[in-house]
C-alpha cells in the first residue's frame, strides 16, 4: 500500500517563518555598528586584559569544540538506522581513550594556571607600569600623572594634586603618560571603571585602592560606576578625555580659569546625594582634603582613622577613650544633616518606620509589640527608644 503524501504546510505559516528569518538577519546587521569597547580598548592595560580573555577562551575551546564535534559525529555514526556501524555491548575500557580524555584537559588546566599566575602579577593594579605599549617601555624618569578619585552619591570627584585642581564628572589625561590612580569612596562601596582604559577597581569608604594605567589613543571615552550604589547609580557616569600634551595643558588651564575654590565647606555640600550632576571645575583644593576623605574625618570635629589607629597601636587611650566616642560616629553624619536615604527604617536607622503598614504575613514587631498584626498602632503610644548604633567605647587594656 502506497504511503499517503503528507499534507502541505499552510502558506501563512511559511510566510510567517520567512518573515521572522528576514527580521533576524536584518537585526544582526545592525549589530555591525556596535562598538565593543572591551574588545577594542585604547589603553595598554585594557588591551592586555582583552588578550588574556581571548587566550583563556581559546584554550577552553580546545576542549569544548572537539567535544561538540565528536558528540554530533557519534550521534550520526551510531544512529539506529546505520547498520554498518559496529555494535559491541561488552566494550567497557580503552587505554588509548583514557589517555586522551585525561591528558588534554590536564594540559589545558596547566596552561590556564600558568597564564593566570603570570597575568595576575603583571596586571596587578597596585604595580607601577613597565611599558607604554607592547613596543615601548616606560622611559626612566617619567613621572606618572597622579589622580585621586572619590566616589560620591552619585557623582565622581577627581583631584589633580600636581596641578592643584579638581573636577566633578570629568577626567582627562595625556596620551602615553602613565596614570597613578588612588581611589576611595565617601559613603557606600562603589567601583571605578573606564572600559577603554583598564578593568574596574572597587572604591570603598575608609580605604584607598590603586590603579596604574595608560591611554594610548586620543579620544573621548565613557566612564561609569560598575557597582550598584543606590537610586542614582545608573546616572553616575563621566567622560574621560585622552589628550595630547598641548590639549591636556589647555584643559588644565580651562579648569583653573572656569573653576571655583573647593573648600572643606564646599566639599560637604558636594558630598550630599545628588543625581545627574553637571561637570564642575575647581581651581584650588583645600589642603589635605583627599586624606581626610580617606580617613573619614572631612566633617569637622570627627576623629581621623589614622589618629585612631595610632592610639590603638600605642595600647589604647584608657579612660580618656570615652571622649573619642562621639568623634568616631561616622555613619550618622548624613542623618544629622537631614539627608537620610529614602526608606531608612528601624532597626537599621534606629527609628520607627515611616509608615505603620507591615508586609502581609509578617509577625508583630518584636522590638515594639504594640504594633499589631494588621500594622496598626494604638494612639498615644510612646515610640520605641532610639537605638545606639555606635560601637562601645574602647576598653582600658592597661
Amino acid at each position: 500500500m502506497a504511503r499517503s503524501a503528507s499534507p502541505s504546510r499552510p502558506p501563512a505559516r511559511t510566510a510567517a517563518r520567512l518573515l521572522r528569518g528576514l527580521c533576524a538577519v536584518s537585526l544582526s546587521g545592525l549589530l555591525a555598528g556596535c562598538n565593543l569597547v572591551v574588545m577594542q580598548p585604547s589603553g595598554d592595560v585594557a588591551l592586555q586584559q582583552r588578550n588574556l580573555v581571548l587566550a583563556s577562551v581559546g584554550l577552553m575551546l580546545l576542549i569544548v569544540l572537539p567535544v561538540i564535534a565528536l558528540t554530533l559525529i557519534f550521534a550520526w555514526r551510531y544512529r539506529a538506522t546505520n547498520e554498518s556501524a559496529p555494535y559491541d555491548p561488552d566494550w567497557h575500557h580503552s587505554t588509548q581513550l583514557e589517555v586522551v580524555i585525561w591528558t588534554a584537559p590536564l594540559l589545558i588546566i596547566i596552561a590556564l594556571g600558568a597564564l593566570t599566575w603570570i597575568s595576575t602579577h603583571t596586571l596587578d593594579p597596585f604595580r607601577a607600569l613597565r611599558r607604554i605599549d607592547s613596543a615601548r617601555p616606560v622611559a626612566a624618569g617619567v613621572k606618572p600623572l597622579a589622580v585621586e578619585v572619590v566616589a560620591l552619591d552619585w557623582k565622581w570627584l577627581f583631584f589633580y594634586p600636581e596641578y592643584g585642581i579638581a573636577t566633578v564628572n570629568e577626567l582627562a589625561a595625556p596620551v602615553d603618560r602613565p596614570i597613578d590612580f588612588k581611589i576611595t569612596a565617601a559613603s557606600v562601596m562603589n567601583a571605578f571603571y573606564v572600559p577603554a582604559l583598564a578593568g574596574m577597581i572597587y572604591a570603598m569608604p575608609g580605604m584607598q585602592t590603586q590603579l596604574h594605567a595608560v591611554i594610548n589613543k586620543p579620544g573621548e571615552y565613557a566612564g561609569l560606576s560598575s557597582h550598584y550604589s543606590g537610586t542614582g547609580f545608573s546616572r553616575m557616569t563621566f567622560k574621560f578625555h585622552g589628550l595630547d600634551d598641548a590639549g591636556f595643558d589647555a584643559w588644565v588651564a580651562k579648569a583653573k580659569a572656569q573653576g571655583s575654590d573647593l573648600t572643606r565647606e564646599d566639599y560637604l555640600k558636594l558630598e550630599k546625594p545628588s543625581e545627574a550632576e553637571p561637570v564642575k571645575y575647581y581651581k584650588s583644593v583645600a589642603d589635605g582634603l583627599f586624606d581626610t576623605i580617606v580617613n573619614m574625618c572631612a566633617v569637622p570635629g570627627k576623629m581621623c582613622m589614622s589618629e585612631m589607629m595610632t592610639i590603638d597601636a600605642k595600647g589604647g587611650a584608657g579612660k580618656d577613650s570615652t571622649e573619642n566616642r562621639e568623634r568616631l560616629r561616622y555613619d550618622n553624619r548624613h542623618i544629622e544633616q537631614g539627608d537620610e536615604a529614602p526608606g531608612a527604617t528601624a532597626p537599621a536607622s534606629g527609628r520607627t518606620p515611616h509608615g505603620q503598614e507591615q508586609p502581609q504575613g509578617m509577625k508583630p514587631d518584636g522590638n515594639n509589640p504594640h504594633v499589631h498584626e494588621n500594622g496598626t498602632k494604638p494612639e498615644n503610644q510612646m515610640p520605641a527608644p532610639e537605638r545606639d548604633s555606635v560601637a562601645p567605647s574602647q576598653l582600658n587594656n592597661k
Side-chain angles (χ1 to χ4, degrees), residues 24-167:
V25 172
S26 60
L27 290 175
S28 62
L30 294 176
L31 295 177
C34 294
N35 182 16
L36 299 178
V37 179
V38 175
M39 305 309 293
Q40 295 178 340
S42 300
D44 184 63
V45 174
L47 182 64
Q48 293 183 69
Q49 293 171 338
R50 188 277 310 267
N51 294 339
L52 175 63
V53 172
L54 294 178
S56 300
V57 172
L59 286 172
M60 290 183 283
L61 288 178
L62 292 178
I63 285 294
V64 174
L65 292 181
V67 168
I68 293 176
L70 290 174
T71 300
L72 298 176
I73 292 173
F74 289 167
W76 173 256
R77 176 172 174 78
Y78 297 102
R79 66 192 187 277
T81 57
N82 185 13
E83 298 179 355
S84 62
Y87 175 68
D88 187 2
D90 297 326
W91 181 90
H92 66 280
H93 178 73
S94 171
T95 303
Q96 292 83 357
L97 283 178
E98 291 286 346
V99 170
V100 173
I101 289 172
W102 289 105
T103 301
L106 180 61
L107 292 176
I108 290 176
I109 291 173
I110 293 174
L112 283 172
L115 188 65
T116 303
W117 173 268
I118 295 172
S119 60
T120 298
H121 292 277
T122 303
L123 299 175
D124 183 357
F126 280 75
R127 183 177 183 175
L129 296 183
R130 294 187 177 182
R131 72 182 205 181
I132 300 299
D133 55 34
S134 58
R136 295 177 294 169
V138 175
V142 172
K143 183 180 180 181
L145 174 66
V147 180
E148 297 168 340
V149 182
V150 181
L152 302 173
D153 294 332
W154 287 273
K155 48 198 168 283
W156 293 95
L157 175 61
F158 303 105
F159 296 102
Y160 287 79
E162 181 180 346
Y163 300 93
I165 63 173
T167 61

Side-chain angles (χ1 to χ4, degrees), residues 4-346:
S4 60
S6 60
S8 59
R9 183 177 297 172
R13 183 180 301 177
T14 303
R17 291 187 176 182
L18 180 61
L19 182 59
R20 286 197 295 268
L22 292 175
C23 291
V25 172
S26 60
L27 290 175
S28 62
L30 294 176
L31 295 177
C34 294
N35 182 16
L36 299 178
V37 179
V38 175
M39 305 309 293
Q40 295 178 340
S42 300
D44 184 63
V45 174
L47 182 64
Q48 293 183 69
Q49 293 171 338
R50 188 277 310 267
N51 294 339
L52 175 63
V53 172
L54 294 178
S56 300
V57 172
L59 286 172
M60 290 183 283
L61 288 178
L62 292 178
I63 285 294
V64 174
L65 292 181
V67 168
I68 293 176
L70 290 174
T71 300
L72 298 176
I73 292 173
F74 289 167
W76 173 256
R77 176 172 174 78
Y78 297 102
R79 66 192 187 277
T81 57
N82 185 13
E83 298 179 355
S84 62
Y87 175 68
D88 187 2
D90 297 326
W91 181 90
H92 66 280
H93 178 73
S94 171
T95 303
Q96 292 83 357
L97 283 178
E98 291 286 346
V99 170
V100 173
I101 289 172
W102 289 105
T103 301
L106 180 61
L107 292 176
I108 290 176
I109 291 173
I110 293 174
L112 283 172
L115 188 65
T116 303
W117 173 268
I118 295 172
S119 60
T120 298
H121 292 277
T122 303
L123 299 175
D124 183 357
F126 280 75
R127 183 177 183 175
L129 296 183
R130 294 187 177 182
R131 72 182 205 181
I132 300 299
D133 55 34
S134 58
R136 295 177 294 169
V138 175
V142 172
K143 183 180 180 181
L145 174 66
V147 180
E148 297 168 340
V149 182
V150 181
L152 302 173
D153 294 332
W154 287 273
K155 48 198 168 283
W156 293 95
L157 175 61
F158 303 105
F159 296 102
Y160 287 79
E162 181 180 346
Y163 300 93
I165 63 173
T167 61
V168 172
N169 286 342
E170 186 171 279
L171 179 64
V175 172
D176 293 338
R177 180 179 175 182
I179 312 171
D180 180 7
F181 291 102
K182 295 180 179 179
I183 305 169
T184 189
S187 57
V188 299
M189 189 167 109
N190 220 302
F192 172 77
Y193 188 29
V194 182
L197 182 69
M200 73 172 189
I201 299 294
Y202 279 103
M204 293 166 281
M207 299 180 66
Q208 176 184 293
T209 54
Q210 286 186 257
L211 171 65
H212 290 85
V214 62
I215 193 71
N216 300 118
K217 299 177 183 178
E220 182 180 285
Y221 307 99
L224 66 150
S225 166
S226 56
H227 184 88
Y228 181 74
S229 58
T231 58
F233 157 77
S234 60
R235 293 194 285 181
M236 192 174 172
T237 60
F238 63 92
K239 293 296 183 182
F240 172 60
H241 301 279
L243 307 170
D244 55 25
D245 292 338
F248 180 73
D249 292 339
W251 181 83
V252 172
K254 182 179 73 170
K256 291 183 176 181
Q258 300 180 6
S260 57
D261 298 321
L262 183 59
T263 63
R264 185 74 64 89
E265 293 74 18
D266 293 326
Y267 167 75
L268 295 178
K269 295 177 182 178
L270 180 66
E271 188 190 32
K272 294 181 179 181
S274 62
E275 299 184 26
E277 193 74 20
V279 174
K280 293 181 181 178
Y281 302 106
Y282 297 96
K283 63 182 179 181
S284 66
V285 179
D287 294 338
L289 181 56
F290 180 75
D291 290 334
T292 62
I293 297 172
V294 175
N295 283 283
M296 302 179 69
C297 55
V299 177
K302 300 302 180 183
M303 176 180 285
C304 294
M305 293 179 59
S306 58
E307 183 181 354
M308 189 70 255
M309 288 186 286
T310 301
I311 295 175
D312 289 340
K314 295 180 179 179
K319 296 180 180 179
D320 297 333
S321 63
T322 57
E323 300 178 1
N324 298 331
R325 186 172 184 271
E326 292 300 322
R327 299 176 62 200
L328 290 171
R329 295 172 66 104
Y330 301 110
D331 297 336
N332 65 339
R333 54 184 172 173
H334 287 306
I335 299 174
E336 292 173 351
Q337 299 170 3
D339 300 323
E340 180 182 356
T345 59

